[in-house]
Each structure stands twice: as structure tokens, then as C-alpha cells.
Amino acid sequence: MTSSELWTRETADRYDAEEAENSSPAALDPTLDFLARLAGDGRALEFAIGTGRVGVPLRERGVPVTGIELSEPMADVLRTKADEETLPVVIGDMATTAVPGDFTLVYLVYNTISNLLTQDEQVACFENAARHLAPGGRFVIELTVPPLRFLPPGQVAVPFDVSDRHLGFDTFELVRQHLVSHHFTRDEDGRYRRGASRHRYAWPAELDLMARIAGLDLEERVGDWDGSPFTGDSAKHISVWRKPVV
């Protein structure tokens, strides 16, 4: 068991409904285009595949997808969309779990590497990706840029969503590079439900060093799935590291 928090049955059952906007074609198609292009004619492995928000439609595009998922309840929801033969899933943590064969693409989306709460585990995740990649294969991560410039002296909280149905803010522990994401979500009955999750944030340069430790080279970094440039104002990045052919 890694330091990742284990998602419960209750969380899994409501996950797809709460992520409906991020699962729409308008939101998801650029992600699928990007990943399908890198997978080419090969196989793809998704770390922390969850309920299959990305993996299932990528498989429907003709890319053979295998998943690793720590939470059995999340994988159970995925099973309502695709059977084991169509989309195999191995229950285990993304830092150490191995699956048979090699892949042209390993990917980890939606800030999920931050679920690993230690630097050592995040390095192990890169090493696990490298072990699964065929020579020339690529490891892709989607991750938020830590919004520390929004923290004036003495402040530890930064809001990231303020809407009618959801209030979200992060509180930071700067020494350990930890944050807690706090969520207040309004249910249909008008009541607010509180949730929180712990994360370890990392800068792009730190991830590049993790990649070097794992024997991977940075190939591309963009500001979003549509290929927009990564700049000092980018709120997140999509980074691609390649396993050398020799």
C-alpha cells in the first residue's frame, strides 16, 4: 500500500456524476487526441485508471488500454462500462504494480501523481512507468503548477473553484510540499457535503529530475491538451518523457 488515500465505494459511486463536465466530448476530446497520437499502433497503460473516464473512450478509439487502479470500488464502476477482456485492470498501486508486456504509452492524468505523498514514491512511479515502456515509448503526466504565487505572506489557502454547486480551496504545508484540497459540494437537497484529499505537489523541473532518475528524457511540455504553449502563466502542464531507443 502506498501513501495514496484509498477511494471508497461512496466516492466511486458518485464520481462520474461529479465529473460529468470533464467527461464531455468538448472537455475530453483534446485529451484523447493527444494520447491516441502518442500511442500510435501500440498499447497504452493508464496509471490510476479510476472509473475509466479517459481509458474507456480511448479504448473505443481503437487504442488497446490496460489499467492499474488502487481502489476496487473505482474499478468496479469501470467494469460496468467495459469487461476485462476489452479493458484489463490490475488492482494495485501505480508506483510498484507490474502488468505483462510492454507499452508505447504510459499515462497519468488529472493531477493523480500528487496522490503519492512522498518524493520517493513519485520517483518510484516514474521508474515503474519506465519499466513498462518499450524503447521509444512515452510517459505522459497532467499536473497543476503549484499556485504558490497566490499566497501572500501569512496566508496558507488558495481558492480554485467558486460556483453555485461547489466551493474548493487548497491549504498548503510549504516545507513538505503538501497540500489539502477542501471541497464543499452542494447536493440536490441543498445541503453541502464536505470532503478533503491530501496531495504532494511538485514543480515541472522536479518531475524532469525524477524522469532522469528513471532513464527518461523530456520530449515535450505544453500548457494543455490542445497543445497550447507552456508559459510562466500556465496553470498546469502536460509533460511527455521518452524512453531512449538504445
Side-chain angles (χ1 to χ4, degrees):
M1 179 68 71
T2 72
S3 60
S4 294
E5 295 175 342
L6 192 61
W7 289 41
T8 64
R9 174 71 59 184
E10 181 183 7
T11 302
D13 287 344
R14 64 172 180 256
Y15 182 83
D16 283 352
E18 293 185 347
E19 293 297 328
E21 183 177 350
N22 290 322
S23 303
S24 67
L28 200 54
D29 280 354
T31 306
L32 301 177
D33 292 343
F34 193 103
L35 295 175
R37 172 176 60 84
L38 292 184
D41 296 328
R43 303 164 64 215
L45 173 63
E46 181 172 357
F47 284 177
I49 195 170
T51 66
R53 182 182 70 90
V54 174
V56 169
L58 186 62
R59 180 65 184 89
E60 292 171 350
R61 290 196 175 201
V63 178
V65 177
T66 298
I68 294 175
E69 174 54 44
L70 183 62
S71 168
E72 289 192 49
M74 295 287 280
D76 289 343
V77 175
L78 184 153
R79 276 288 155 262
T80 67
K81 309 171 187 177
D83 60 27
E84 178 69 18
E85 183 176 354
T86 302
L87 203 166
V89 176
V90 176
I91 301 299
D93 70 86
M94 58 187 167
T96 62
T97 300
V99 301
D102 54 22
F103 300 83
T104 60
L105 174 67
V106 179
Y107 65 95
L108 180 55
V109 300
Y110 215 28
N111 301 321
T112 310
I113 194 170
S114 70
N115 291 0
L116 298 170
L117 299 179
T118 70
Q119 187 183 67
D120 285 345
E121 286 177 335
Q122 291 179 352
V123 170
C125 183
F126 272 82
E127 292 174 329
N128 198 29
R131 282 192 293 270
H132 285 92
L133 285 173
R138 295 168 173 89
F139 183 35
V140 177
I141 282 182
E142 175 187 22
L143 187 62
T144 299
V145 176
L148 299 189
R149 63 179 179 175
F150 296 113
L151 285 175
Q155 181 173 312
V156 296
V158 173
F160 59 83
D161 186 34
V162 179
S163 63
D164 289 340
R165 296 199 64 242
H166 179 255
L167 301 174
F169 62 92
D170 293 330
T171 54
F172 290 83
E173 184 183 340
L174 301 180
V175 172
R176 298 175 64 196
Q177 290 184 209
H178 279 190
L179 66 85
V180 177
S181 287
H182 304 267
H183 303 268
F184 292 85
T185 305
R186 189 177 64 168
D187 290 329
E188 295 299 328
D189 60 6
R191 298 180 181 179
Y192 277 87
R193 170 171 35 86
R194 180 177 181 178
S197 58
R198 296 181 301 150
H199 304 269
R200 181 186 186 271
Y201 63 84
W203 300 96
E206 185 181 4
L207 298 183
D208 290 343
L209 184 55
M210 294 181 188
R212 286 177 58 191
I213 292 171
L216 304 176
D217 299 322
L218 180 66
E219 181 178 71
E220 181 181 12
R221 174 166 292 131
V222 293
D224 210 337
W225 294 106
D226 61 6
S228 55
F230 177 72
T231 71
D233 294 322
S234 297
K236 71 174 184 179
H237 61 97
I238 315 299
S239 296
V240 181
W241 298 273
R242 190 168 184 263
K243 185 172 183 175
V245 175
V246 292

